[in-house]
Amino acid sequence: MQQPNVLFVSLDTLRADVAYSGRFPGVESLRARGVTCTQAISSAPLTPISHATVFTGLQPPGHGIRHLLREQLRPDVPTLAERLRSAGYRTGAVVSCPGLDKWYGLDRGFDFYDDEIPLLPDGRNPLTVGDVKMRGLALKRAPVVADRAARWVEEQDGPFFLFAHFFDAHWPYEPPEDVGVEVDNPYEGEVAFSDHHLSRLLRRIEELGHPLDSMLVVCFSDHGEDLAGWYPNDHSGELGHPYEEGHGCLLFDTTQHVPLVFAAPGLPSGAEVAAQVRLVDVMPTVLDLLGLEGTASDGESLEPLLRGRAHADRPAYCETYFPEERARAGDYPDLEPLHAIRLADGDGRTKVVWHRGSGRVEHYDLVADPHELDARVLVVGQDGGDAALPAPPE
């Protein structure tokens, strides 16, 4: 029996609350077909780091990409595309931003990897620019992603793994057209635009003879977006963190809580998992659902959760070294890297954030304070020295 085709859809920069608002037909069609993980947590608020976690099943210390503009994927780390290609899949990707350029090594294992994007308006190579907002001016728009991805599928006559990456929700929030979805702001207009072309891609895949009901589909975002006051849990700009610029420097749920949907033959349709899960769980879950041997991973298969056989929350690790990059650039010299653990236990949800360098440790009660506006400072000191607290992850 032929293995099911595999489709990964990355809706870059998509907040979980916006994704799950019920207004976007493409996302809703996938949710209706499969299982929505309502409490999925990303490992990092930057595109290359988060996607590396998805495609290796390792946290940033394991796969090696921890900064926006410094490291490449460790050469000894197996990728999902490599595993599927060795299992007989044809592998193709259409990506749409500098953060997924081949330079990072995330193309490893793909037979076809379309990372073509334009130069910045001033002629610079966007890969060399550390300003995440400026990098958003260099993108492959959603219609091109959908067209090129569909064209690649047309050429396949065996089992395939397609990765389609949409970047439109990223700054500068200038939706090219109204696609008939009610939105509250230009950011949501960009989400609607990319969702419209996601729907178009899904229809075309089915027209080519690949029913979605027979495929393994994973839809996710790498991180959310802080819109400086457009949403009640925003923190950037005049709200107190002017350096955030949408995402990258902070580890609030605004950017770390992301959409994650699995649809596959045998999984429930229209179901939800309320337990906390992580993007690091994606690769082991996919290998498990396909019956393939797993690899060393920091994640765990979600298969029991997806089938309703388990309900356990998983502790979620997040980090960002982007503040260090901003500080070295001279923009905000006092910024320092952050690490966080988000814990869930039934109805209780908490987060602990370590500020590396200053020793500051913050605690958030996510039930009493869901917008993370009231930090309780547990430790202030150069060494973070309180034996009662776990050491920040390395």
Side-chain angles (χ1 to χ4, degrees), residues 107-131:
D107 62 316
R108 214 167 65 221
F110 284 102
D111 303 310
F112 171 78
Y113 195 86
D114 178 353
D115 63 345
E116 179 191 12
I117 57 170
L119 296 175
L120 291 172
D122 61 9
R124 284 182 295 169
N125 179 351
L127 184 62
T128 66
V129 175
D131 185 326

Side-chain angles (χ1 to χ4, degrees), residues 55-67:
F55 286 115
T56 65
L58 297 173
Q59 299 288 20
H63 60 62
I65 304 178
R66 308 186 79 174
H67 296 80

